[in-house]
Amino acid sequence: MEYLGWDQVEMGAILPSFEEESCDIVSKKQEDRNYAKTNSYTASVADWRVFKPVYNRDTCIDCQNCWVFCPDTAIISRDKKMVGIDYEHCKGCGVCAEVCPTNPKSLIMFAETEDNEVALANWPEKKKKEK
Ligand code: SF4
Ligand code: SF4
């Protein structure tokens, strides 16, 4: 298949998302799908981030809020269990940290340059309710 530049594609052209039949694509995990080069999944946006979400398994209740609200499907969840963050596709918008309901949050935004282990070691304590 010949790949065209973005300015060579004719109006109304259809860009295939997958290199194969995609009837059963929902049943395949993202990493097992045969994405076409024209699918944005094949591009990384990791360089865009200034802040990144760090995930703390210890406080997570697997509510799946982050998975539902992430605009880039960059939250990895398996069998309704939060697994982690796909840093290749996370843009660092902070929505996941905003919607995380635990106390302290199980997703917190840190500077992109922060080491994840250091971030986890400095995780905030549970906040007391104000009376
Ligand atoms: S920071 Fe934004 S893009 Fe990254 S995982 Fe959270 S919601 Fe998704
Ligand atoms: S929103 Fe927070 S508590 Fe819920 S699954 Fe995501 S990280 Fe875990």
Side-chain angles (χ1 to χ4, degrees), residues 12-86:
I14 295 171
L15 304 179
S17 283
F18 305 101
E19 295 287 2
E20 59 195 17
E21 284 289 320
S22 52
C23 304
D24 65 339
I25 212 73
V26 175
S27 61
K28 281 192 179 173
K29 292 174 184 161
Q30 281 167 318
E31 58 270 27
D32 295 334
R33 297 174 187 168
N34 194 4
Y35 287 98
K37 282 187 187 169
T38 45
N39 188 302
S40 62
Y41 190 80
T42 60
S44 172
V45 294
D47 290 348
W48 297 9
R49 274 194 315 271
V50 179
F51 295 98
K52 64 177 175 185
V54 175
Y55 171 57
N56 190 335
R57 173 76 252 171
D58 293 346
T59 50
C60 176
I61 56 173
D62 289 312
C63 70
Q64 307 295 289
N65 259 9
C66 53
W67 181 81
V68 170
F69 282 94
C70 173
D72 291 298
T73 56
I75 297 289
I76 307 167
S77 178
R78 293 284 177 265
D79 301 321
K80 298 184 181 169
K81 296 268 182 208
M82 164 71 166
V83 174
I85 296 144
D86 171 2

Side-chain angles (χ1 to χ4, degrees), residues 76-110:
I76 307 167
S77 178
R78 293 284 177 265
D79 301 321
K80 298 184 181 169
K81 296 268 182 208
M82 164 71 166
V83 174
I85 296 144
D86 171 2
Y87 283 123
E88 285 295 300
H89 296 98
C90 166
K91 294 188 182 74
C93 67
V95 169
C96 56
E98 198 64 37
V99 299
C100 180
T102 58
N103 178 12
K105 285 183 180 284
S106 307
L107 284 162
I108 296 179
M109 301 302 288
F110 285 86

